[in-house]
Amino acid sequence: MKHLQELPAWRELWQHFDATKSDHMRELFATDPGRAERYWLEVGGLKVDYSKNRITDETLALLMKLAREAGLPERMKQMFRGEKINTTENRAALHVALRNRTNAPILVDGEDVMPQVNHVLHRMGEFAHEVRSGDWLGYTNQVITDVVNIGIGGSDLGPLMMCNALKPFGHPRLKMPFVSNIDGSQLRDVLEKVHPETTLFVVASKTFTTQETLTNALTAREWFLKHADDKSAVAKHFVAVSTNKKAVAEFGIDTANMFEFWDWVGGRYSVWSAIGLPLMVAIGEKHFREFLRGARAMDEHFFTTPYRRNIPVLLALIGIWYNNFYQAPGYAVVPYSHNLRRLPAYLQQLDMESNGKHCGIDGGSVALDTGPIVFGEEGVNCQHAFFQLLHQGTRLIPSDFIVPMRTAYKVGRQHRFVVANAFAQAEAFMRGKTLAEARAELADLPEAARDALAPQKVFPGNQPSNSILIDELTPFNLGMLLAMYEHKIFVQGTIWGINPFDQWGVEYGKVLAKAIEPELNRDQTLHHDSSTNGLIDFYRACQQR
Ligand code: F6P
């Protein structure tokens, strides 16, 4: 397989970049009235306006050529066939099987995985119904009021983000607190607000070896047993979600209360699996299946649509255009919806843990920029935080505006205000403001004052964005949205020649932490670098105060 920089399309793209890098989007719109219409796609409840990008038809043609030359078509087939494309862990990457509602067989090691996928989904539905209906009773025969998810990373971010996003679909009696950090305050804040008799803990961990999760789960169990004082009561108040049955049993959770998933589901790709159990409890089985249906609809779009009309492919290629040619450091995710406030964090893990790699699938260094830095904040709050840099800074940083067109919250004119701001910010990023326009706005000032201030009020513009419009925040539409990003990230990783499905980078820090933790409260000789030794010494001194 040729390296990316050796492909004909790569060289042609650099020539095209040199020829077009100074073009301003204002001109692209002014000279092409049909631009917006040509760069607008609709799939189900999602509409994507990608016209506010620094691209032309020629740019897209060359990027699509790059995708084909980089082997994307074959890689897509391999993923959907269940081949072990996660080569460094010798696993398939089959999150698409979790929403394969057609039940067409998908084989892993010669075995159709769909029967087990459907069995777990059915068990999840039964459990969710028992909790929601009040059939599931605690050790004092009371119904459940709080379902506490204990997990971190992919075992937290997806269900948490989705429970926020679909709050209007939530169950009136059930509260869904999430505990992920091990710093103690988050767990204590939750335990102070719930009652052991009516609280159910979901211990979610793909490996069931993650220290943060197990430590928090042990503390929660101790808290529970202090009140219940009967070990047999644990079975009524703790369930597990994992691939590791042995570790679940060793922890002391009845494996009859375990909802399994499989090693061919990556943690950050697992919200569709039993990891989504808190979401199913919150919104019910029917709506959870709608969530899966939405993702399936995006899978079918992704797998069957020609690149020129293929939303994940186009977003991926436009992202590569900025990442590798414009040297953009990253992109902003700005959901203009308070209920989507955790979407940036979810996409940070999905994107940066997938494509934050320097080593290629072939074991060589990739020698080009791979995964972008993902950051973001709910709109309109982002406008009062980091948009200054996007408007008048020195960096090209694309933004994804994610904007629901309808809201469940009929509160005054608020939603119109939010939408108007989303559209206005994208327009301001694109067109900017020239010196002449800035001076015209300062016409009332004396000449000298106008000369001094006008340059400060210039907006370079030409800052790109995608406007991703969602009819409304429904399970189906959100399923489509998340699957769209999963496939976008997969396309980028494939073109960069890296493995988006492993995460060797997360292990090293954990190993070093295991060595440092005991040194923090013991006066033993330290053998780290002088900085780390100094940090440990200072921590020790602080404990003496
Ligand atoms: O951050 C490393 C990681 O392994 C993630 O990939 C994963 O989502 C998270 O930790 C939690 O892992 P587990 O679900 O196995 O506890």
Side-chain angles (χ1 to χ4, degrees), residues 429-444:
F429 281 166
M430 182 278 290
R431 57 175 295 113
K433 184 184 293 182
T434 63
L435 183 60
E437 288 165 340
R439 288 180 61 82
E441 286 179 2
L442 301 170
D444 297 344

Side-chain angles (χ1 to χ4, degrees), residues 107-123:
L107 306 185
V108 174
D109 294 329
E111 181 194 352
D112 179 11
V113 300
M114 291 316 300
Q116 51 190 318
V117 167
N118 291 325
H119 171 67
V120 171
L121 190 58
H122 177 70
R123 279 199 60 225

Side-chain angles (χ1 to χ4, degrees), residues 22-23 45 56 101 120 125 177 183 241 279 316 328 352-353 384 387 441 445 460:
S22 304
D23 295 352
T56 64
R101 300 293 89 228
V120 171
D183 85 347
V241 175
L279 177 62
M352 297 174 77
E353 196 168 90
H384 302 269
F387 267 29
E441 286 179 2
L445 290 182

